[in-house]
Amino acid sequence: MAIFSVQARATDAVGWAELARTVEAAGFDALHAADHPGFGPSPFVALAAAAAVTDTLGVGSYVSNAGVREPLLLAADVATLDVVSGGRARLGLGAGHTPGEWRAVGRERPDVAGRVRRCVAVAEAVRALLAGDEVTVDTPDLTAYAARLDAPRPVRDRIPLTVGTANSTLLRWAGAHADVVGLTGFGRTLADGHRHEVRWRADQLDAQLAQVAAGAAGRDEPPALEALVQRVAVTDDAEAVAAGTAAETGLTPAEVLATPFVLIGTPDEIAPAVAGHERRWGVTRFVVRADAVDSVAPLLSRLAGNDSTSSALETGH
């Protein structure tokens, strides 16, 4: 059974509210908002607005940059979102990659190891704060003294944590502690600070999932695995569309069609591909961009395993 969510950015009040209602009505699990301070809207303000016009839709940042977010402020945002949504908040965290975000708050972006240490420290502190604990941390990566979140208290005892990453160390930590491991498929960050090389090949994904499994050893229930889908195309010429993505990424069309980070083909091709990603890698959750909602929505029942027929499916464009 596959679970689909949507990642989007609010650009105007009417369009954002309409998107939230559409996503909920279509049967998506959650609406997520990107978190890039200075480069996009505040996720928590936008998500509170989305929660106000929906009833069951999960809401969360995907993902907050632990490098520029302070634990107490982040915990307060998440707890407030949980309160105003009636217990639907999600906590998404990542180590961050955009240098400008650090400089904007008066910091220089650390090296990879430093970003990972900071992300783990923030994740642990935020979880403790949401649980009602007092937090004191004094390390080069994070400083907080006698921090407490007395109010607001979240509706639920535990806010689900998603860690989005492709870093080996953070994948192991997420395997041990997260509720969901968000597989980004990201490789080296490119010069603009936003785009990335990709790690989509089967051997690369196998290596990432081996880190998750190592971290999850001993857990009663391992974390769910979720892929951030970069391209969705409902088409009767999958090879041709995949060739374009292959040219952009340096992969072969076959490698593109085999990865869970893209969904390309007819409904009769996409449905078994999604099922295959669960069999091959254990990936049961997918996050698609807002521009894929119209294409994915008609497929949700089948992708979730609730509809074995194809006659009710619309091909899209």
Side-chain angles (χ1 to χ4, degrees):
M1 176 178 176
I3 296 172
F4 278 75
S5 297
V6 176
Q7 185 201 53
R9 292 190 180 196
T11 57
D12 66 275
V14 173
W16 181 247
E18 182 179 352
L19 176 65
R21 294 189 189 98
T22 298
V23 166
E24 180 177 59
F28 288 93
D29 181 62
L31 177 60
H32 299 296
D35 187 7
H36 293 288
F39 298 94
S42 165
F44 298 102
V45 174
L47 292 165
V53 298
T54 56
D55 298 309
T56 61
L57 191 66
V59 284
S61 60
Y62 204 91
V63 290
S64 287
N65 180 350
V68 302
R69 296 288 188 184
E70 293 300 326
L72 183 58
L73 302 180
L74 183 56
D77 282 340
V78 174
T80 302
L81 182 61
D82 202 49
V83 169
V84 301
S85 68
R88 292 183 276 144
R90 316 281 177 88
L91 170 59
L93 280 175
H97 54 80
T98 306
E101 294 177 10
W102 269 268
R103 290 194 296 270
V105 298
R107 302 172 185 163
E108 286 301 316
R109 187 181 71 161
D111 60 13
V112 172
R115 297 201 297 276
V116 169
R117 290 194 305 269
R118 166 84 183 190
C119 185
V120 169
V122 169
E124 291 175 342
V126 171
R127 269 206 161 166
L129 290 164
L130 289 171
D133 299 335
E134 182 175 286
V135 172
T136 294
V137 182
D138 190 351
T139 70
D141 304 301
L142 179 65
T143 303
Y145 300 109
R148 292 188 63 87
L149 184 65
D150 292 326
R153 299 300 308 148
V155 172
R156 289 169 297 172
D157 293 334
R158 180 184 175 92
I159 305 293
L161 170 64
T162 296
V163 174
T165 188
N167 174 270
S168 295
T169 300
L170 200 49
L171 285 167
R172 286 196 300 275
W173 187 90
H177 301 285
D179 299 288
V180 179
V181 177
L183 302 165
T184 63
F186 291 166
R188 183 177 62 88
T189 304
L190 300 180
D192 65 4
H194 295 279
R195 295 178 300 125
H196 304 265
E197 295 178 349
V198 301
R199 294 177 182 169
W200 291 358
R201 292 188 175 94
D203 60 335
Q204 294 171 319
L205 187 52
D206 283 338
Q208 293 170 45
L209 295 180
Q211 299 296 335
V212 176
R219 284 185 65 168
D220 292 336
E221 185 175 343
L225 301 178
E226 183 171 75
L228 179 59
V229 180
Q230 302 292 337
R231 179 81 188 273
V232 175
V234 180
T235 173
D236 58 3
D237 194 350
E239 288 286 341
V241 177
T245 301
E248 296 170 0
T249 59
L251 276 65
T252 66
E255 288 171 331
V256 168
L257 292 173
T259 184
F261 301 109
V262 301
L263 297 174
I264 298 173
T266 66
D268 286 336
E269 291 169 332
I270 290 176
V274 167
H277 298 324
E278 179 175 3
R279 290 192 302 270
R280 173 71 172 82
W281 287 294
V283 175
T284 58
R285 303 178 66 94
F286 299 83
V287 176
V288 301
R289 312 290 192 183
D291 61 4
V293 167
D294 290 344
S295 295
V296 174
L299 312 182
L300 281 180
S301 180
R302 186 178 186 184
L303 297 177
N306 299 326
D307 182 359
S308 61
T309 69
S310 60
S311 60
L313 298 177
E314 297 175 10
T315 301
H317 62 278

